[in-house]
């Protein structure tokens, strides 16, 4: 976080889905004005077109992995797009989802994000780990 002025990224939005996992330390995410605290080993999913930024309120460094995926990469077939991807993108009731340490599926997503980091030099392995 020390790479960012005042330990805070700029507020932004994008068409990508954002997945972050905290490898060490702690930090906060602000998503549409709501603050989400993330501890080591936890993560966050941010839906498309949500105003957000990450920061360290304590002004301490942390290590995290951030993966951006354009939704169209998930549309492996018209059925997958229609039944799974499109409903997620249009569901404004869920701008984000914290991936907590007490959640089995949240921790599974965090583990898979870490696998992506381990195979970052092989695009095919990255895509396989993401799917």
């Amino acid at each position: 976080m020390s790479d960012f002025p005042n330990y805070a990224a700029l507020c932004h939005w994008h068409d990508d889905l954002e997945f972050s996992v905290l490898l060490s330390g702690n930090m906060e995410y602000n998503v549409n004005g709501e603050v989400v605290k993330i501890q080591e080993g936890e993560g966050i999913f941010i839906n498309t077109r949500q105003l957000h930024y990450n920061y360290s309120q304590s002004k301490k460094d942390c290590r995290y992995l951030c993966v951006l995926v354009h939704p169209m990469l998930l549309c492996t077939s018209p059925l997958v797009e229609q039944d799974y991807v499109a409903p997620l993108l249009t569901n404004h009731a869920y701008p984000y989802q914290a991936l907590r340490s007490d959640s089995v599926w949240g921790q599974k997503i965090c583990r898979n994000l870490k696998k992506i980091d381990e195979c970052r030099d092989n695009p095919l392995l990255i895509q396989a780990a993401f799917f």
Side-chain angles (χ1 to χ4, degrees), residues 80-119:
V80 169
E81 181 177 2
Q82 175 185 324
D83 290 354
Y84 299 102
V85 178
L88 175 67
L89 301 179
T90 58
N91 189 345
H92 300 288
Y94 293 101
Y96 72 90
Q97 180 64 52
L99 308 172
R100 298 290 182 203
S101 58
D102 60 354
S103 164
V104 174
W105 63 267
Q107 285 306 294
K108 186 173 184 178
I109 292 170
C110 288
R111 278 192 308 274
N112 284 341
L113 289 171
K114 291 175 187 175
K115 285 181 187 175
I116 287 171
D117 186 44
E118 292 167 6
C119 60

Side-chain angles (χ1 to χ4, degrees), residues 22-42:
L22 196 55
L23 304 173
S24 66
N26 57 61
M27 71 176 170
E28 292 80 17
Y29 261 85
N30 183 307
V31 183
N32 298 331
E34 188 173 338
V35 175
V36 182
K37 294 182 182 213
I38 306 295
Q39 303 297 320
E40 186 173 321
E42 296 182 334

Side-chain angles (χ1 to χ4, degrees), residues 1-2 5-8 26 28 55-61:
M1 297 300 303
S2 60
N6 207 25
Y7 288 79
N26 57 61
E28 292 80 17
Y55 63 99
S56 171
Q57 186 171 351
S58 64
K59 306 270 191 283
K60 293 183 180 176
D61 253 336

Side-chain angles (χ1 to χ4, degrees), residues 1-12:
M1 297 300 303
S2 60
D3 288 342
F4 296 112
N6 207 25
Y7 288 79
L10 293 175
C11 189
H12 64 282

